[in-house]
DNA sequence: TTATATTTGTGTAAATCTTACGCATTTTAA
DNA sequence: TTAAAATGCGTAAGATTTACACAAATATAA
C-alpha cells in the first residue's frame, strides 16, 4: 500500500505588487493541458531533490522571470481530490510581496505570457486558483494589520501618503490621516529621510524609510506592530 | 520530467489535550522503520483518493483510537529533502484540540502504543517531529489570544478558575484574575449555568459554558475575540 | 461550635490609548 | 497674485486597560 501512492506535489506562487493605489497579482497564461488559455498562478511540480521554497522560486523565475527571495507558505490545497483533472495533485501555495520596480518586468524572455492583474480584475483562473488567491488575499489583509509588511510593497523610500493609501486600498477602509501617521511614527520603526519627493503638486513631502533593524530589535523585546481601524 | 516525480505525501497530527493545569500531546511509538522505538506524532501516507483532512483523521483513529472531527492545517514540512531518511516525504501537519474526556482513552485496541505526554516532558521524537510540535505549540499559543479556542480544551461546563489556569499554563504567564474575568464576561460569549462545581474545597463556584452560537453571531458582526496580558 | 483554610466573587480610581476633529504651510500652475 | 493641491501638526473627550484588596461561602480540623 505504501508503494502505490500516486500523488503529485506542486507549488503555486501568489506574487503581490502595489502601485498607484492598486494592488496587483502576477499571473501566467497556461499553454498546455486541459486548462489551456486560462490564466493561472505561476507554479509547477516540485523536483525530487528540491526544497519546496526552492521549487516555488524556480517556477516563478522560469515562468515570469521575476525573482523573489522570500516566500511565505500560505496553505496546502489537497482536500479536493480532483482539483487537477489530470491527476491527483496537491499544491503548497506560497505568497510574496514585491516592490513596484518589479511591476514593469513583463514581456520578458520566456515570460511573454506573464502579466500583472489588478486584484479586482482577476479573470476565472485555472484549477482552484481563484480559491487559492482568495485565501492569499485574506492572509495579506490580516497580516497587514499585525505585521509591518506593507513596506515590502513600497519602494525603499516612500511618502507617508503612499503608505496611507496602501492601507486604504488593500483593506478597503477609510483611515484617519492624522491618527494613522501619529500611530506609525509612535512605533519608531519608520524614519524621515533628508529627501523630498519628486512629486510636483501640493506641498513637497519628506520621504520616509522603514527601519528593518529597529523593528527587529523592538520585536525581540516584545513589541507588537498593530494597526487597527474602526 | 513530470513523470518521474517520486515524492510521498504524508499527514501528521498534533492532538492537544488539557487537564489539571497541564497541557498534553498525544504520541505513538514507532514500530517499524529506521525510527523504530522513537515516539512520534500520529500520521502516515495519504491515500490516492482521500482528502488530506480524511487522511489525518483516519491515521489518528487507526493509530490511537482517538476520533477528532476538526483539524486545522498547521504547516507543510518539505524543505528538508531528507526529513525522512527512507524517501522524500513531505508532510502536511494538522492540529486539533480535544476535551479532557478523551485523555483517558489510552491502551485501547490497537492503540496500545499511544500515550499522552505532558508538553514539557516530550522526548526526542522521530523525524522532524519535535520541530513540527514546536510550530504547533506556537500556533496554539498565538491562537489562544485571538480566537476563543481555549474552550475546546475544557469540558462543556467549566469553572472560571479552570479557564484562567488554562491560559496561565499554556501561555506561561501570570494573569490578573479580576481583569481576566471581567474581560471574558464583557464579551458575552460565556454564560453562567445553574450548576455548581462538585469541588469540595473553598467557596462553591458556578459552572460556565461557552456559547458557540453567540460567538458566531458576534463574529459575523465583526467582533474580534482578544485576550492580552502584560 | 468555632476557628481556620481555601477558593470565589466583586468595584473603583489612575493611567494609557484611541478617537474625532480643522487649520496653517508650502509648493505649482493658471 | 491667486487658486488648487497636498503636507504637517495638537488637543480634548471618550474608551480601555491596569492595578489593587477584601468580603462571602463552604469544608475541615481543632
Amino acid at each position: 500500500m505504501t508503494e502505490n501512492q500516486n500523488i503529485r506535489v506542486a507549488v503555486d506562487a501568489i506574487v503581490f505588487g502595489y502601485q498607484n493605489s492598486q494592488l496587483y497579482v502576477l499571473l501566467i497564461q497556461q499553454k498546455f493541458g486541459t486548462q489551456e488559455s486560462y490564466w493561472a498562478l505561476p507554479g509547477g511540480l516540485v523536483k525530487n531533490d528540491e526544497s519546496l521554497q526552492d521549487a516555488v522560486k524556480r517556477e516563478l523565475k522560469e515562468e515570469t522571470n521575476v525573482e523573489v527571495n522570500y516566500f511565505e507558505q500560505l496553505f496546502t490545497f489537497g482536500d479536493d481530490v480532483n482539483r487537477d483533472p489530470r491527476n491527483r495533485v496537491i499544491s503548497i501555495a506560497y505568497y510574496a510581496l514585491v516592490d513596484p520596480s518589479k511591476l514593469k518586468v513583463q514581456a520578458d524572455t520566456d515570460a511573454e505570457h506573464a502579466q500583472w492583474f489588478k486584484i479586482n480584475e482577476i479573470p476565472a483562473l485555472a484549477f482552484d486558483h481563484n480559491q487559492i488567491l482568495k485565501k492569499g488575499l485574506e492572509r495579506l489583509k490580516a497580516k497587514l494589520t499585525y505585521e509591518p509588511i506593507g513596506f515590502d510593497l513600497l519602494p525603499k523610500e516612500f511618502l507617508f501618503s503612499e503608505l496611507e493609501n496602501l492601507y486604504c486600498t488593500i483593506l478597503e477602509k477609510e483611515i484617519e490621516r492624522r491618527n494613522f501617521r501619529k500611530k506609525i511614527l509612535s512605533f519608531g520603526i519608520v524614519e524621515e529621510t533628508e529627501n523630498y519627493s519628486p512629486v510636483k503638486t501640493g506641498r513637497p513631502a519628506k520621504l520616509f524609510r522603514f527601519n528593518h533593524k529597529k523593528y527587529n530589535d523592538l520585536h525581540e523585546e516584545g513589541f507588537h506592530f498593530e494597526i487597527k481601524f474602526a
Side-chain angles (χ1 to χ4, degrees), chain A:
Chain A
M1 172 163 62
T2 59
E3 291 313 320
N4 59 14
Q5 193 190 53
N6 183 28
I7 304 178
R8 315 280 161 105
V9 178
V11 287
D12 285 304
I14 303 177
V15 182
F16 288 112
Y18 173 85
Q19 198 166 43
N20 296 128
S21 300
Q22 279 288 342
L23 183 63
Y24 292 87
V25 176
L26 183 55
L27 299 177
I28 59 160
Q29 194 148 33
Q30 293 284 101
K31 290 178 201 156
F32 314 107
T34 54
Q35 308 276 314
E36 193 179 350
S37 92
Y38 278 87
W39 290 90
L41 296 170
L45 295 182
V46 176
K47 295 186 174 176
N48 292 331
D49 58 353
E50 177 184 54
S51 76
L52 300 176
Q53 281 267 354
D54 288 345
V56 72
K57 287 179 197 167
R58 175 183 52 74
E59 289 284 355
L60 181 67
K61 168 73 175 159
E62 285 175 11
E63 296 181 333
T64 70
N65 207 36
V66 171
E67 292 191 60
V68 159
N69 45 38
Y70 179 70
F71 273 101
E72 178 160 319
Q73 191 178 300
L74 174 64
F75 196 77
T76 296
F77 293 80
D79 280 330
D80 178 357
V81 173
N82 300 304
R83 52 180 293 284
D84 185 320
R86 298 164 295 188
N87 295 289
R88 174 82 193 265
V89 181
I90 68 159
S91 172
I92 300 109
Y94 284 81
Y95 78 94
L97 307 179
V98 301
D99 76 86
S101 68
K102 304 226 166 134
L103 286 174
K104 286 152 204 158
V105 195
Q106 40 186 312
D108 256 67
T109 55
D110 50 332
E112 47 195 283
H113 291 283
Q115 207 173 292
W116 288 96
F117 282 76
K118 291 184 184 170
I119 195 69
N120 38 27
E121 297 177 3
I122 303 289
L125 303 179
F127 313 113
D128 54 357
H129 287 192
N130 285 291
Q131 202 188 320
I132 297 178
L133 182 53
K134 181 166 174 247
K135 193 143 190 156
L137 187 57
E138 281 164 12
R139 181 87 131 246
L140 173 63
K141 286 182 181 181
K143 280 235 159 175
L144 213 49
T145 71
Y146 64 83
E147 283 187 28
I149 59 169
F151 306 106
D152 296 339
L153 288 168
L154 292 175
K156 278 214 182 54
E157 304 203 338
F158 54 86
L159 297 174
F160 230 101
S161 56
E162 291 178 311
L163 185 63
E164 231 176 86
N165 284 330
L166 184 147
Y167 271 84
C168 294
T169 303
I170 299 181
L171 298 178
E172 301 172 287
K173 281 185 178 163
E174 295 286 296
I175 69 181
E176 222 288 282
R177 214 160 52 85
R178 274 170 294 187
N179 293 341
F180 178 78
R181 185 186 182 106
K182 218 184 316 175
K183 182 89 184 182
I184 295 277
L185 289 176
S186 76
F187 295 153
I189 57 178
V190 164
E191 57 202 21
E192 234 177 67
T193 68
E194 290 307 304
N195 311 325
Y196 281 84
S197 95
V199 179
K200 19 172 152 284
T201 171
R203 174 174 173 174
K206 287 241 177 71
L207 287 165
F208 290 80
R209 188 190 302 125
F210 175 60
N211 187 334
H212 286 82
K213 185 182 171 329
K214 189 73 186 295
Y215 170 69
N216 289 334
D217 291 351
L218 286 171
H219 190 65
E220 299 267 312
E221 296 167 23
F223 164 77
H224 285 284
F225 178 89
E226 182 150 35
I227 298 283
K228 286 198 195 148
F229 305 98

